[in-house]
Amino acid sequence: MKIAAYQFAVSGNINDNIETIKRAIVEASGQKVELIVFPECSLSGYPPRDIESSAEVDDCKIREILADFQSMSEEYGISIIIGTIAYENSKYYNRAYYFSPGKLMQWYGKRALYGWDADNFSAGEEAGIFDIAGLRVGVRICYEIRFPEYFRQLYLENTDLNIVLFYDVADKADDNRYQLIRSHIITRAVENVTPCLTVNATFPNQTAPTCFVDASGKVCAELEQGKEGMLIYGFDKKKLDFGELGRKKYSDILLGI
């Protein structure tokens, strides 16, 4: 399965975001990518960095554009995961929307809400597990990388690949934070014996990587920090090796499986 992650400078101008995302989808399709993912709030912009608050979002426009992405998925034969603010039942959510040819639109709402997130969003209730091209794929959003429990839920559901959408940036360069979050990603992959694909925004200073990490914690591909671009990786579901089998054995024992 050819997968891709596209990092770029997400902004408060939804039209600019749409143009970048659509261009990337067309480019990915041309390279035979089967799944492309974009950062947290990459469609709407993230409050309060890009927009003042979640209430500033034009919900009607968001719904219209989401329908366009479903159409693009059908037209280009590609699955897509995009982060955006969503409004439903008088509440705002930080969601990852999943589009795939021949399927209804699905989504996952971020649950670990703290600080700006708590000020702007309500917690989602979805499991965040999608069937993509015969693979069971788990999705999590940004701050949730800090908590093993969110990924243990995916382990119990036997996901083949986990995806994390980030909007983790800072006003000043912060390599310590970048390396810390990178280590979280590696640890989540290793402890759950499950590969992980991540994608982040780039502006003003990117503090979490766009990368692919295998089930043993090897960083197989990583984009240059702070530069717009597309990571493409050929993902194959592989049999577990000796060390991976050992981690799975004791994970199952500890979880009472």
Side-chain angles (χ1 to χ4, degrees):
M1 181 180 182
K2 206 171 187 181
I3 58 178
Y6 197 87
Q7 66 177 31
F8 69 100
V10 176
S11 76
N13 186 321
I14 190 170
N15 291 320
D16 287 348
N17 296 335
I18 291 167
E19 182 179 343
T20 299
I21 293 168
K22 287 186 173 182
R23 185 178 68 246
I25 292 170
V26 173
E27 179 185 344
S29 175
Q31 298 194 51
K32 308 300 182 185
V33 167
E34 295 173 73
L35 167 68
I36 183 168
V37 301
F38 296 91
E40 174 185 18
C41 290
S42 54
L43 175 57
S44 58
Y46 180 79
R49 277 200 169 273
D50 303 317
I51 54 177
E52 187 173 340
S53 72
S54 54
E56 297 294 314
V57 169
D58 184 341
D59 178 57
C60 291
K61 187 175 184 68
I62 292 289
R63 291 177 183 272
E64 176 184 321
I65 297 305
L66 292 177
D68 284 349
F69 286 130
Q70 180 64 51
S71 296
M72 286 193 75
S73 173
E74 303 283 352
E75 179 181 356
Y76 290 96
I78 188 171
S79 295
I80 307 164
I81 297 177
I82 298 173
T84 187
I85 295 170
Y87 182 72
E88 188 175 287
N89 298 325
S90 301
K91 293 180 180 180
Y92 291 94
Y93 297 93
N94 183 338
R95 284 179 174 169
Y97 277 89
Y98 164 55
F99 311 92
S100 193
K103 295 184 179 180
L104 295 175
M105 179 177 70
Q106 300 173 61
W107 58 83
Y108 170 71
K110 188 176 183 178
R111 292 175 287 166
L113 305 178
Y114 182 74
W116 289 343
D117 276 338
D119 294 338
N120 284 280
F121 304 116
S122 296
E125 299 178 349
E126 300 80 22
I129 300 171
F130 308 121
D131 292 320
I132 305 176
L135 296 175
R136 197 161 171 78
V137 179
V139 173
R140 295 292 181 255
I141 300 176
C142 205
Y143 190 48
E144 293 171 345
I145 196 68
R146 303 276 194 172
F147 306 99
E149 295 82 358
Y150 287 116
F151 290 79
R152 262 332 200 197
Q153 292 171 350
L154 298 178
Y155 178 86
L156 288 168
E157 293 292 338
N158 295 308
T159 54
D160 301 305
L161 171 69
N162 294 328
I163 293 172
V164 186
L165 279 59
F166 285 102
Y167 187 113
D168 201 296
V169 300
D171 292 326
K172 296 181 180 180
D174 190 342
D175 189 60
N176 285 335
R177 182 178 178 86
Y178 185 95
Q179 295 302 329
L180 174 64
I181 296 175
R182 190 175 188 267
S183 71
H184 283 324
I185 297 163
I186 292 169
T187 302
R188 297 294 88 82
V190 170
E191 67 193 3
N192 294 295
V193 204
T194 310
C196 189
L197 175 68
T198 71
V199 61
N200 194 18
T202 61
F203 181 83
N205 291 280
Q206 184 175 347
T207 46
T210 295
C211 64
F212 179 88
V213 180
D214 73 12
S216 283
K218 180 183 177 181
V219 180
C220 301
E222 184 171 0
L223 289 184
E224 182 180 343
Q225 189 176 355
K227 183 178 180 180
E228 181 173 338
M230 184 184 300
L231 180 154
I232 298 178
Y233 188 79
F235 172 67
D236 291 318
K237 183 179 177 180
K238 298 177 180 178
K239 290 183 178 180
L240 301 183
D241 66 22
F242 181 79
E244 292 163 355
L245 284 169
R247 293 198 304 278
K248 180 166 176 51
K249 174 183 176 179
Y250 276 91
S251 287
D252 290 351
I253 290 171
L254 291 167
L255 291 167
I257 297 175

